């Protein structure tokens, strides 16, 4: 405006100078009177021109400029004019106003986009599952917090103004360390930090960054709650420590091998069992320690472990230090990393010796019973042969009677042959598991014991219609049942006179998850003060000349350890043929899930 006044004054001076110049020039041509008249006219014209020029400039130049100044002065909180400039006026003014309007429109559009972006950013932060908050005044005031942050602190939005962020840090040093880094304009990324919320410690992964918020210095922070992961990590660490403790101090031999069976780690019990040093074991494998006849068995166990995750209850021979042989029972489990296998091995050499002793005792008795039982068929065969010989010597031989005699001899020899096969199969020491029917085990057991049962006048009462398949060792189960039946036979022999009926009952019953096998007698039962001890090794009530005390102990091991079944002993009172009897009852429970092939 000041420059505009200067321009008007300059124009006025030029007009005055022009008038004076004209007056001087005319003074040389006209008289004084004429000059005065002309001068007056010039003065009048000049004034008219000046006045006209003034109002023209005021209307066409000053007024639009004043309107612009008025519009520019009326601004919003962001300093942007509220109204657009009018395009009325000269072409130059219109062009200038249009340019200014375009600038205002651009600023408003940019501000609108900025606001929209800020709203979108705020919405994104609000909806984020990660806790976000913005603070000012060195962390004293929270100016923004999303729902996830409120949930993390366990507060409502109304309670937020009363909360100071630094109060959630359990140690002042943690908070001060963060402030020092932020004051250096450093960005703190993915730092594991403890927070104390309502007296409970939680762990978060936090990121802090300096920003400008509402034209002020602020700090934005993101928090990701990893408390559950930390707890799981601690549990894993505790379990690892427990595993290492069990591994190092277990009385059973434990070893970790790779997928090819090479030793990676082992405990002291394993080294003691095999007699090799740590350095020696690290240079060998479980296959190299295995006796040649059991190498394929071990390979199969490794393959089974890789396919199903485990292989359990396998017996094989180890060749240990100084070329000695031991028998081990081992199981394999594939570790979670799928790259290592844990082997649990137990030296059962002494146990196998006990089994052999028990089996030899049973075999000795069975041989005697078989010899006794064979006398009848052998005597019958001898009688038939002698009769035919006598008939032929006295020329009274009748060929028609020969065929029945030969059939009888075949029948007796078949019986003798089957007895031999059953006995031979029983004494065969097989370490291979397979699918077997419980009913077949019962039949083969009774076939082996039949001579002894008949010889002691024992009546067998069978109810074995219910049946199931199990995965196990056939001969071991036969041995277990023989031990139970021999126990009943000896009790009947000792407690029941020959004049009274001697009974052994065998029955099977299917249940939801398996099968129950019961064997009971009428020998009066087991004394209550010893019934809980009968499965202990070397416990016996018999004279040492006839009892070793290992039969029922072996049975317990076979049933529970080798077949994952259960066995109990009790006394049972029951009715049979209108008579009441009391006797020992052995209950064996086979479970489907435990008996199935792994």
């Amino acid at each position: 405006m000041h420059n505009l006044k200067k321009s008007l004054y300059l124009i006025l001076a030029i007009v005055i100078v022009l008038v004076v110049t004209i007056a001087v020039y005319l003074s040389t041509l006209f008289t004084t009177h004429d000059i005065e008249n002309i001068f007056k006219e010039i003065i009048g014209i000049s004034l008219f021109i000046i006045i006209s020029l003034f109002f023209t400039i005021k209307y066409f130049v000053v007024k639009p400029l004043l309107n612009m100044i008025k519009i520019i002065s009326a601004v919003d909180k962001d300093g942007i004019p509220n109204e657009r400039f009018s395009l009325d006026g000269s072409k130059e003014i219109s062009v200038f106003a249009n340019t200014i309007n375009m600038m205002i429109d651009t600023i408003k559009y940019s501000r609108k986009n900025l606001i929209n972006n800020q709203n979108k950013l705020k919405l994104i932060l609000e909806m984020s599952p990660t806790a976000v908050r913005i603070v000012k005044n060195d962390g004293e005031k929270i100016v923004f917090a999303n729902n996830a942050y409120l949930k993390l602190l366990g507060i409502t939005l109304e309670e937020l103004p009363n909360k100071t962020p630094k109060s959630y840090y359990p140690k002042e040093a943690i908070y001060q360390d963060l402030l020092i880094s932020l004051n250096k304009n450093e960005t703190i990324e993915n730092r594991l930090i403890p927070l104390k919320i309502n007296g409970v410690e939680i762990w978060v992964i936090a990121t802090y960054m300096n920003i400008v918020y509402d034209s002020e210095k602020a700090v934005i922070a993101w928090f990701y709650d990893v408390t559950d992961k930390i707890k799981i990590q601690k549990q894993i660490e505790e379990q690892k420590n427990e595993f290492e403790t069990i591994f190092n101090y277990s009385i059973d031999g434990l070893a970790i091998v790779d997928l090819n069976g090479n030793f990676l780690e082992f405990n002291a019990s394993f080294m003691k069992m095999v007699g090799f040093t740590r350095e020696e074991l690290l240079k060998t494998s479980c296959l190299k320690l295995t006796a040649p006849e059991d190498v394929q068995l071990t390979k199969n166990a490794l393959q089974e472990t890789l396919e199903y995750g485990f292989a359990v209850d396998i017996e094989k021979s180890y060749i240990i230090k100084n070329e000695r042989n031991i028998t081990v029972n081992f199981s394999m489990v594939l570790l979670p990393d799928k790259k290592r296998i844990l082997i649990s091995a137990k030296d059962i050499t002494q146990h196998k010796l006990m089994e052999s002793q028990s089996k030899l005792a049973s075999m000795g008795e069975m041989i005697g019973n078989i010899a006794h039982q064979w006398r009848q068929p052998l005597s019958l065969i001898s009688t038939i042969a002698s009769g035919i010989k006598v008939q032929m010597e006295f020329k009274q031989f009748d060929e028609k009677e020969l065929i029945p005699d030969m059939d009888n001899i075949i029948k007796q020899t078949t019986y003798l042959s089957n007895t031999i096969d059953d006995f031979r199969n029983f004494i065969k020491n097989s370490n291979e598991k397979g699918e077997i029917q419980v009913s077949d085990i019962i039949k083969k057991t009774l076939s082996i014991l039949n001579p002894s049962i008949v010889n002691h006048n024992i009546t067998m009462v069978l109810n074995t219609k219910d049946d199931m398949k199990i995965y196990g060792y056939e001969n071991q189960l036969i041995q277990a049942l023989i031990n139970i039946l021999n126990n009943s036979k000896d009790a009947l022999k000792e407690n029941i006179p020959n004049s009274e009926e001697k009974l052994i009952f065998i029955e099977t019953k299917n249940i939801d998850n398996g099968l129950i096998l019961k064997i009971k007698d009428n020998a009066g039962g087991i004394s209550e003060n010893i019934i809980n001890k009968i499965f202990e090794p070397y416990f016996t009530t018999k004279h040492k000349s006839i009892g070793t005390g290992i039969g029922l102990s072996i049975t317990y091991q076979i049933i529970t350890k080798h077949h994952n079944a259960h066995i109990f002993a009790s006394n049972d009172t029951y009715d049979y043929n209108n008579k009441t009897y009391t006797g020992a009852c052995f209950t064996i429970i086979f479970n489907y899930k435990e008996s199935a092939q792994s």
Side-chain angles (χ1 to χ4, degrees), residues 121-122 125 131-136 139-146 149 160 165 209 211-214 216-223:
L121 178 59
K122 186 175 181 181
L125 293 178
V132 182
R133 58 101 164 130
I134 300 175
V135 297
K136 292 182 180 179
E140 293 294 331
K141 181 181 178 182
I142 301 176
V143 294
F144 172 82
N146 68 353
Y149 184 75
L160 187 63
M209 181 186 298
I211 61 170
V212 175
Y213 187 82
D214 287 340
E216 294 182 40
K217 181 182 177 182
V219 175
I220 185 171
W222 294 265
F223 302 93

Side-chain angles (χ1 to χ4, degrees), residues 231 310 346 481:
K231 288 180 179 178
F310 60 91
K346 188 173 184 178
L481 296 188

Side-chain angles (χ1 to χ4, degrees), residues 75 180 192 264 286 339 373 424 471 487 493 530 561:
V75 297
I180 291 172
L192 182 63
L264 302 174
C286 63
K339 296 179 181 179
Q373 188 70 13
R424 182 177 59 191
Y471 191 67
N487 197 72
K493 179 181 177 181
I530 66 169
K561 303 299 182 183

Side-chain angles (χ1 to χ4, degrees), residues 328-364:
V328 297
N329 180 282
F330 73 98
S331 298
M332 294 182 172
V333 177
L334 187 64
L335 293 177
D337 61 10
K338 309 295 184 184
K339 296 179 181 179
R340 299 174 298 161
I341 296 173
L342 174 66
I343 296 178
S344 172
K346 188 173 184 178
D347 185 355
I348 59 170
T349 306
Q350 188 65 29
H351 178 73
K352 296 301 291 184
L353 180 60
M354 290 170 56
E355 284 189 4
S356 298
Q357 290 175 352
S358 176
K359 182 173 283 191
L360 286 172
S362 299
M363 285 168 55

Side-chain angles (χ1 to χ4, degrees), residues 417-436:
S417 177
N418 289 339
T419 304
I420 293 173
D421 288 340
D422 289 340
F423 183 72
R424 182 177 59 191
N425 290 333
F426 171 66
I427 64 175
K428 196 183 295 181
N429 188 21
S430 174
N431 286 329
E432 293 186 4
K433 272 188 171 183
E435 279 194 348
I436 45 180

Side-chain angles (χ1 to χ4, degrees), residues 135-330:
V135 297
K136 292 182 180 179
N137 302 332
D138 289 332
E140 293 294 331
K141 181 181 178 182
I142 301 176
V143 294
F144 172 82
N146 68 353
N147 291 328
Y149 184 75
L150 297 175
K151 184 177 180 181
L152 179 70
L153 299 187
I155 61 174
T156 63
L157 188 61
E158 291 73 20
E159 297 173 299
L160 187 63
N162 300 324
K163 301 297 179 181
T164 303
K166 68 178 181 180
S167 64
Y168 292 105
Y169 294 89
K171 294 181 180 180
E172 178 71 18
I174 298 175
Y175 183 72
Q176 293 301 326
D177 181 58
L178 294 173
L179 282 183
I180 291 172
S181 297
L182 290 169
N183 288 335
K184 294 178 181 178
N185 206 29
E186 296 176 357
T187 297
I188 303 169
E189 296 183 4
N190 300 327
R191 183 176 295 184
L192 182 63
I193 293 177
L195 298 177
K196 202 164 188 178
I197 310 298
N198 297 325
V200 178
E201 185 179 73
I202 68 169
W203 288 86
V204 296
I205 298 293
T207 296
Y208 301 83
M209 181 186 298
N210 288 315
I211 61 170
V212 175
Y213 187 82
D214 287 340
S215 303
E216 294 182 40
K217 181 182 177 182
V219 175
I220 185 171
W222 294 265
F223 302 93
Y224 180 66
D225 189 353
V226 292
T227 306
D228 291 339
K229 292 182 179 180
I230 294 294
K231 288 180 179 178
I232 292 173
Q233 186 175 351
K234 288 183 178 179
Q235 289 175 356
I236 292 173
E237 189 67 26
E238 290 173 0
Q239 291 173 357
K240 179 183 177 183
N241 293 334
E242 289 178 3
F243 173 78
E244 289 178 351
T245 302
I246 294 171
F247 185 85
N248 291 328
Y249 297 102
S250 172
I251 60 174
D252 289 340
L254 300 176
I256 297 176
V257 300
D258 63 19
L259 302 184
N260 295 317
N262 299 309
F263 287 111
L264 302 174
E265 192 55 73
F266 28 78
N267 65 357
S269 297
F270 190 86
M271 287 191 290
K272 182 179 178 181
M273 181 177 69
V274 298
F276 291 109
T277 65
R278 179 179 182 83
E279 291 72 21
E280 289 172 331
L281 280 174
L282 289 174
K283 294 177 182 178
T284 186
S285 70
C286 63
L287 292 174
K288 292 181 180 178
L289 291 185
T290 303
E293 63 271 17
D294 290 332
V295 169
Q296 188 57 48
L297 176 68
T298 306
K299 289 181 178 179
N300 293 341
L302 284 168
Q303 185 61 35
E304 186 177 340
T305 302
L306 293 178
E307 290 182 9
Y308 301 104
F310 60 91
V312 298
D313 195 25
I314 303 166
E315 290 184 10
K316 68 173 182 177
S317 294
Y318 259 176
I319 302 176
I320 62 173
K321 193 77 169 180
N322 300 324
E323 299 298 320
R324 291 192 303 113
N325 277 48
I326 62 171
T327 302
V328 297
N329 180 282
F330 73 98

